[in-house]
Amino acid sequence: MAATSTSPLFSLSSLSASLPSPTRLPATLSLRALSPRTRLSVSLPFASPHGVYGAWAAMSTSSAGRLRRRGLEVVCEAATGRRPDSVAKRERQNEKHRIRNHARKAEMRTRMKKVFRALEKLRKKADAQPEEIIEIEKMISEAYKAIDKTVQVGALHRNTGNHRKSRLARRKKAIEILRGWYVPNAEPVAAT
């Protein structure tokens, strides 16, 4: 069927007068002239920009039906060009958490490096004393605290945190064994 005659197009003001007034108008309305013989099989529910089909949809179907009989199709789009506030808030939160997580991870890595450097220095030192390990144990304790904080806030998986703490402990124990300050298979002497 060829479209030979079309109904005249109405202005947006006359169209908005025939539609019930919603709480918030859609962003764009476009009108298309159709042939009077053309049959529309598409239902045109009107929705608010929030995606809620409520009283406006129920009231607008009769107006849409009148416009369909006149040969007009109403296309409603809710493209306002701005995202919902919840998306913007989530982006702000993600950025804040990213910065905070990065700072925690950086602190953890710094403390681990300090421990590794101190242990390496102790390993290379010729006249090392067993009392020097006490200062390194304090540094290890601070590194453990930083690792535990990073795991607690969720910036690091708990298995990864345990792995890193284990690396620190193994490296310390290797130095103690090398220096002879710790014997792995020594039986404790029973006090009599």
Side-chain angles (χ1 to χ4, degrees):
M1 286 185 228
T4 54
S5 65
T6 58
S7 300
L9 290 176
F10 295 99
S11 66
L12 285 178
S13 60
S14 67
L15 176 66
S16 63
S18 68
L19 293 174
S21 63
T23 56
R24 193 168 166 188
L25 284 175
T28 59
L29 283 175
S30 64
L31 298 174
R32 288 185 231 150
L34 300 174
S35 165
R37 296 181 191 181
T38 305
R39 190 170 174 191
L40 292 177
S41 61
V42 181
S43 63
L44 299 170
F46 288 87
S48 71
H50 300 295
V52 179
Y53 292 94
W56 187 21
M59 292 186 303
S60 300
T61 52
S62 62
S63 298
R66 279 199 311 267
L67 291 174
R68 257 188 259 140
R69 282 191 294 273
R70 292 180 187 157
L72 290 176
E73 175 188 7
V74 179
V75 179
C76 226
E77 298 173 0
T80 58
R82 90 180 253 271
R83 294 189 307 231
D85 292 339
S86 60
V87 174
K89 180 179 179 182
R90 177 55 64 189
E91 286 177 356
R92 287 194 308 269
Q93 287 177 332
N94 288 344
E95 182 64 18
K96 186 169 63 172
H97 293 159
R98 185 188 69 80
I99 291 169
R100 188 179 298 157
N101 290 343
H102 182 75
R104 288 203 187 275
K105 286 180 177 182
E107 179 189 0
M108 175 193 65
R109 285 190 296 262
T110 302
R111 294 196 183 274
M112 287 180 67
K113 285 178 189 176
K114 285 182 180 180
V115 170
F116 289 141
R117 281 194 208 113
L119 287 171
E120 188 62 25
K121 196 182 292 183
L122 186 64
R123 185 180 71 83
K124 290 181 178 178
K125 194 171 182 182
D127 57 341
Q129 299 299 319
E131 294 81 28
E132 294 178 34
I133 201 81
I134 294 172
E135 188 64 34
I136 294 177
E137 285 177 350
K138 289 180 185 175
M139 293 169 65
I140 289 175
S141 173
E142 291 172 0
Y144 279 9
K145 186 176 178 182
I147 291 170
D148 288 338
K149 278 185 185 177
T150 309
V151 168
Q152 184 179 6
V153 298
L156 195 72
H157 195 274
R158 70 173 183 266
N159 292 353
T160 308
N162 290 339
H163 178 201
R164 292 185 184 203
K165 290 194 288 190
S166 174
R167 276 180 63 196
L168 293 169
R170 280 184 288 136
R171 190 77 59 96
K172 182 190 120 192
K173 188 158 283 194
I175 299 296
E176 288 176 334
I177 291 171
L178 178 73
R179 290 290 175 185
W181 302 331
Y182 175 78
V183 180
N185 295 327
E187 301 262 338
V189 179
T192 54

